[in-house]
Amino acid sequence: MYHLTVDDFTDEDVAEFHRLMSELLTKCASVGEQHAPEGTWVPSTAGLFDQMAESMQLVAEVSRALNHTRAGIRRVGGRARQRLYDRVSGSHERPAGPA
């Protein structure tokens, strides 16, 4: 069985991975600053059901960012796995050498 190595990832893959993580953390920080500037969430509505609805909107916003990041990381990993597969497949197709 073959396993991914660092060499299966290109510089572009690593840069995309870092960009994805930076975007996620920036989004989370932005949501935190906007909705919990002192570190504690203070709902902008008074009623409990309105607060629950507000919280669901915040969770959905963070969830979208997480899903975007997760999908991007899967793409990066998928490209690296494809390179591993291509490398391994190519090594099996080579002639064994002079007979």
Side-chain angles (χ1 to χ4, degrees):
M1 174 172 244
Y2 298 97
H3 298 283
L4 284 173
T5 67
V6 172
D7 294 334
D8 294 311
F9 293 86
T10 66
D11 290 343
E12 292 80 16
D13 290 334
V14 174
E16 182 176 352
F17 167 61
H18 289 176
R19 180 188 57 77
L20 287 162
M21 288 305 300
S22 293
E23 287 176 357
L24 173 64
L25 295 174
T26 298
K27 179 63 169 180
C28 289
S30 171
V31 169
E33 288 170 10
Q34 190 175 22
H35 298 282
E38 301 298 321
T40 302
W41 177 56
V42 178
S44 64
T45 55
L48 178 60
F49 291 114
D50 290 337
Q51 291 174 7
M52 292 178 100
E54 180 182 347
S55 73
M56 293 308 294
Q57 289 175 347
L58 293 174
V59 168
E61 186 175 354
V62 172
S63 180
R64 282 189 297 275
L66 284 169
N67 287 335
H68 172 77
T69 302
R70 190 179 299 117
I73 292 171
R74 277 195 304 264
R75 274 192 313 274
V76 169
R79 289 192 303 259
R81 280 188 298 282
Q82 184 63 49
R83 281 190 285 280
L84 170 63
Y85 174 77
D86 292 345
R87 181 170 43 87
V88 169
S89 295
S91 68
H92 292 295
E93 294 174 5
R94 292 186 192 134

